[in-house]
């Protein structure tokens, strides 16, 4: 007889990262049993199992996904790594592998961390909704692979197979332990490189506090059921008001 995966058992792929670690901490608070699957281990946390592995490695994933019902996929090379081969390998091939491994292992749900930039063509978007089309000219190669990745995950949603998917699209994420966004801004300002205004100074950009991004992921996971309208859909996530930049 097949062991029914415990509905509170989840794996966070990319759980050693900035967002991933916040997600892991909140999942623990909510009574989930959590494992991290990541190429590196960046912290220790009682009750969390760390499985070091690459999401392009199906065997490693299959081992990690035994008796797991829910997967959060928030692994990606940093956008600043500027390495086309790596973006393609991890975001596209790795995501394909992760989907296959989930289906093979009997995982029931996947929540993907996508990005709001998948709809950004270079022209201003204000109060953009999920009806916006994918960018035809993504701003960079990282974003191009985030589009491909999101399509793969959402198209894999299949109620008959019992595999349900949803994507959350934050723009900039800020909060404690942010390794990139704010530190890079502060460093740029310290080096005197923030003296110029592009446009008339009324440009807005969207930042979301990391706890809100985490909350969105967990709500999406908990609402994801075969009869739910969120199956196979992507959702933007933001704070109340965009930050003036
Ligand atoms: P991060 O770099 O802190 O975390 C990413 C994690 O993925 C790292 O721990 C890394 O080791 C892991 N990883 C990379 N390649 C892997 C592989 N091949 N196999 C397994 N693990 C691998 O980044 P983050 O800011 O926490 O971003 C998480 C997700 O959120 C990413 O998908 C990113 O595209 C998305 N996102 C982030 C922001 C932001 O402002 N930080 C904005 C929009 C979307």
């Amino acid at each position: 007889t097949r062991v029914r995966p415990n509905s509170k058992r989840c794996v966070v792929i990319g759980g050693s990262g900035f967002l991933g670690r916040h997600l892991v901490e909140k999942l623990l608070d909510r009574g989930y049993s959590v494992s991290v699957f990541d190429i590196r281990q960046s912290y220790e946390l009682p009750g969390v199992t760390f499985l070091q592995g690459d999401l392009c490695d199906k065997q490693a994933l299959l081992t990690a996904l035994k008796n797991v019902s829910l997967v959060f996929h928030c692994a990606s090379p940093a956008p600043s790594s500027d390495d086309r081969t790596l973006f393609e390998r991890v975001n596209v091939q790795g995501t394909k592998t992760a989907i296959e491994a989930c289906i093979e292992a009997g995982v029931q749900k996947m929540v993907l961390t996508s990005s709001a930039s998948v709809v950004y063509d270079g022209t201003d978007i204000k109060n953009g909704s999920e009806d916006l089309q994918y960018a035809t000219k993504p701003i960079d190669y990282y974003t191009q692979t985030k589009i491909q990745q999101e399509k793969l995950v959402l198209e894999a949603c299949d109620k008959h197979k019992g595999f349900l998917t949803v994507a959350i699209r934050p723009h900039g994420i800020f909060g404690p332990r942010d390794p990139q966004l704010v530190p890079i801004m502060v460093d740029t300002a310290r080096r005197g490189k923030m003296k110029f205004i592009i446009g008339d100074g009324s440009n807005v950009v969207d930042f979301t506090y990391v706890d809100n991004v985490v909350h969105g992921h967990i709500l999406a996971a908990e609402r994801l059921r075969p009869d739910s309208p969120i199956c196979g859909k992507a959702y933007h996530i933001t704070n109340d008001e965009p930050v003036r930049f």
Side-chain angles (χ1 to χ4, degrees):
T1 55
R2 190 157 169 254
V3 182
R4 260 185 78 78
N6 177 336
S7 67
K8 287 247 173 185
R9 276 202 63 158
C10 62
V11 164
V12 180
I13 305 178
S16 289
F18 166 50
L19 173 65
R21 181 173 172 185
H22 281 279
L23 189 54
V24 167
E25 290 170 348
K26 188 62 75 185
L27 287 164
L28 280 181
D29 282 355
R30 286 172 80 112
Y32 284 82
S33 113
V34 189
S35 301
V36 168
F37 183 91
D38 200 298
I39 39 172
R40 64 187 178 119
Q41 180 177 351
S42 61
Y43 60 98
E44 302 261 356
L45 202 57
V48 177
T49 313
F50 285 87
L51 304 152
Q52 215 159 327
D54 189 318
L55 86 152
C56 303
D57 177 350
K58 192 160 164 192
Q59 278 315 314
L61 274 172
L62 285 172
T63 310
L65 296 177
K66 262 191 202 131
N67 295 326
V68 165
S69 60
L70 167 62
V71 164
F72 293 92
H73 174 1
C74 54
S76 171
S80 57
S81 60
D82 203 24
D83 180 338
R84 282 184 172 231
T85 317
L86 185 65
F87 290 142
E88 158 74 23
R89 193 179 75 80
V90 177
N91 288 349
V92 183
Q93 298 310 322
T95 297
K96 259 186 210 161
T97 308
I99 293 168
E100 284 167 17
C102 282
I103 294 172
E104 244 176 88
V107 170
Q108 293 145 12
K109 305 180 193 184
M110 177 186 272
V111 180
L112 171 73
T113 315
S114 182
S115 167
S117 57
V118 299
V119 296
Y120 182 62
D121 252 326
T123 42
D124 294 351
I125 299 174
K126 228 175 172 180
N127 300 322
S129 78
E130 287 79 6
D131 295 334
L132 290 164
Q133 302 295 307
Y134 286 114
T136 46
K137 287 185 212 125
I139 46 164
D140 54 22
Y141 197 71
Y142 160 79
T143 308
Q144 188 174 313
T145 61
K146 291 295 284 183
I147 295 176
Q148 287 171 277
Q149 174 190 57
E150 189 189 279
K151 286 183 178 168
L152 284 169
V153 170
L154 298 183
E155 282 164 11
C157 187
D158 186 336
K159 292 173 198 181
H160 303 292
K161 274 192 195 153
F163 183 59
L164 305 179
T165 63
V166 64
I168 300 295
R169 293 175 178 169
H171 190 238
I173 307 173
F174 69 96
R177 303 188 300 253
D178 159 25
Q180 294 183 50
L181 192 85
V182 176
I184 291 173
M185 261 199 287
V186 170
D187 184 56
T188 311
R190 283 215 174 107
R191 285 186 291 119
K193 294 198 169 167
M194 274 220 179
K195 289 180 186 152
F196 306 100
I197 293 176
I198 300 169
D200 63 4
S202 63
N203 302 349
V204 286
V205 68
D206 191 56
F207 293 116
T208 308
Y209 186 59
V210 66
D211 282 357
N212 292 338
V213 180
V214 165
H215 189 220
H217 280 68
I218 296 178
L219 283 184
E222 293 180 352
R223 297 293 187 278
L224 196 55
R225 279 188 285 268
D227 56 351
S228 156
I230 74 168
C231 288
K233 299 244 173 76
Y235 291 92
H236 294 151
I237 181 135
T238 182
N239 295 321
D240 216 3
E241 283 287 316
V243 178
R244 237 171 233 298
F245 198 56

